[in-house]
Amino acid sequence: MERPESSGGASSSAVADWSLAFWTLCSVLLPVLITLWCSFQRSRRQLLMREIFRKSKHDWHYTDLFGQPSYCCVCAQHILQGAFCPCCGLRVSEGCLKKADQLFLCKEIMLRSSGGAPSAMPHHWIRGNVPLCSCCQVCKQQCGTQPKLCDYRCVWCQYTVHDDCMVDHLKTENCTFGEFRDLIIPPYYLSTINQMRKDKRTSYEKVVPYCRKHWTPVIILANTRSGNNMGETLLGEFKILLNPVQVFDLSKITPAKALQLCTLLPCNAVRVLVCGGDGTVGWVLDAIDEMKIKGQERYIPQVAILPLGTGNDLSNTLGWGAGYAGEVPVEQILRNVMEADGIKLDRWKVQVTNKGYYNLRKPKVFTMNNYFSIGPDALMALNFHAHREKTPSLFSSRIINKAVYFFYGTKDCLVQECKDLNKKIELELDGERIELPDLEGIIVLNIGYWGAGCRLWEGTGDEPYPLARHDDGLLEVVGVHGSFHCAQIQMKLANPLRLGQAHTVMLILKSSKMPMQVDGEPWAQGPCTVTITHKTRALMLYPSGEQTDDEASSVSEQDHVREQTDEDV
C-alpha cells in the first residue's frame, strides 16, 4: 500500500519541478521577447520616419523632449516629443508627420514664378509655438501666453500676431523681412538671379532687394564638430532667422563650395560668419584665397567669427571673444555682424624643407594665421592630437580639452623632452643671425593672443616694447625656458624671452627630431629649414565699438608714456 503513495508523491514533485522550470523560463524569456519586440517596433518606426524625412520638403529633426511647451501644428495637442523643422519652426507629433507635409509649406529658398521675376512676397504665417516673450505687432501685448496652440508667427520677419488680431490684410501684405532684412537673401532675389543667368546677364549688383543701399547679405559657415559641439543647435537657430540657403554645415559641404554663393551676390557686399575654432577659420580663409586664384577677387567676403573651439586666440584678438557657450542670443550675434567694421589680418607662408643630399620630397607648405612654434607647446599639441585621434568621443567639451593640455604640460615639466633646443637650432630674423640663450622653445607670433588667451609678447606688461599687431607685416619672435615657464607667462608671473620682430623668419634645425606646430596642427620634424614669409592679407570684421587687442595695447602704451612724462615733469 505504500508504493502508490510514494509514486504519487514523486509525480507531484516532478510536476512542481516542471512548473517551476516553466515559470522561471517564462520570467526570463518574456522580458527578452518584449525587449526584442519593442526594439523591432522602434527600428520599424525610425525607418518609416527616415523615409518620411527623406521625401519631405521640410528639414525634419526628431527630438525625445522639446525644450519648451509645444503643441502639434496639426492636431493641436500638447506634445513632449516629436519632429520639428528648424527652417520654418513647425512642430508636430509623430503620427501627424504625413499630414503636416500636405498642409504646410516650408521656407522657400527661391520663389517659383511663371511670369516675370517677382520683387516682393507676402508673409508666411505659421500658427502656434511662438517664441517666448514675443510681442504682438498689432496690439503690442505678449503672445503665446495661453496653454494651447495659438497665435501666429511669420517665418521671415519673425513678427508675431494674436489670433484675434490677425486680419485679412495681414495675410496678404508684403513681408518686410524684419530686423535682419539687410542680412537675409530673399527668395525672390534668387529667382531674379536665376532668370538673369538664363539670359546670360551678370550685373547682379543692380538687383538689390527692398531698394536698400546697404544690403550686406551674410553667409553662415558652421563646423558642428568644433569644441563644445554647439554647431548643430546654432545651425537651426540661424535657419529660422535667415534664408536656409545661406546657412551651411561644414561637416557636409566644403567652404570652397559654400562660398560660391558669393558669386551670385553684389560685389564687396557679402559677410561670412564662421562658427568654429581657429582651425575652421583658417580653412575658410584658405578657400577665400582659392577664390582669388580663380579670379573672383571682387566677390571676396569679409569674415566674422563665432568662437566654438578650444583656444580661439584669433577670435579673441579680433574682439569676438575667447569662447561662446550660448550666453548671447543668436539675434544679438547677427546684430554684431551687421554693425561690424572691417580690418585686415596678415597671413604667412610657412615652408619646411627637409635637409639631406638625396632628399627628393617637395617642401611642406602651410599657411599661418596665428603662430608657429617649436618646443614644449608644440609637444603638448602633438600629444593632444594623438590622444584625440585614438578616442575622439572623449574630447567633446572645451574644459576636457584644456584639462588634457594641462596634463601633458605637467608631464613635460618633469621629462623636459625639448631640452637644449638652442644647441640644435639656428635663428635668423630678416637675414640676421640671432644668438640664442638657453631655452627649450621658440614661438613666432602673428596675433596678440597665444595659448588660449595669454598675451605672450607683452608678458607681465611691466616693460615697454614695440606693439604687436596683426596687420603690420611683422612677426614677433619669443623664446621660452620650458613648460613651467609657459605656465608662469600665462599666469602673468614671468616675461618671455623676446628675441625680436621681423618681416622674414628662418629657423634651421640642425639635428634630432623636434615637435612643431602651425596654428594647432602639430607634427614631429627632423632636420630641416623653416622659412616664414608674408603671403597675403585677409579681410576680417571686428565688433563695432569694441577695441581690437592692438588698439587696446596702443592705448595702454600711450597711457604709460604719458605717466612717465608726468613723472619727469
Side-chain angles (χ1 to χ4, degrees), residues 173-188:
E173 76 173 5
N174 289 333
C175 182
T176 63
F177 290 88
E179 179 184 1
F180 303 114
R181 63 176 66 89
D182 285 340
L183 301 180
I184 295 174
I185 302 175
Y188 59 77

Side-chain angles (χ1 to χ4, degrees), residues 1-10:
M1 296 296 293
E2 295 179 357
R3 287 181 181 176
E5 290 180 1
S6 61
S7 63

Side-chain angles (χ1 to χ4, degrees), residues 63 185 226 229 233 275 304 366 373 379 407 429 444 472 526 543 551 561:
T63 180
I185 302 175
S226 286
N229 296 324
T233 303
C275 307
F366 303 89
S373 69
L379 179 63
F407 168 75
L429 302 182
V444 182
D472 59 356
E551 291 171 337
V561 171

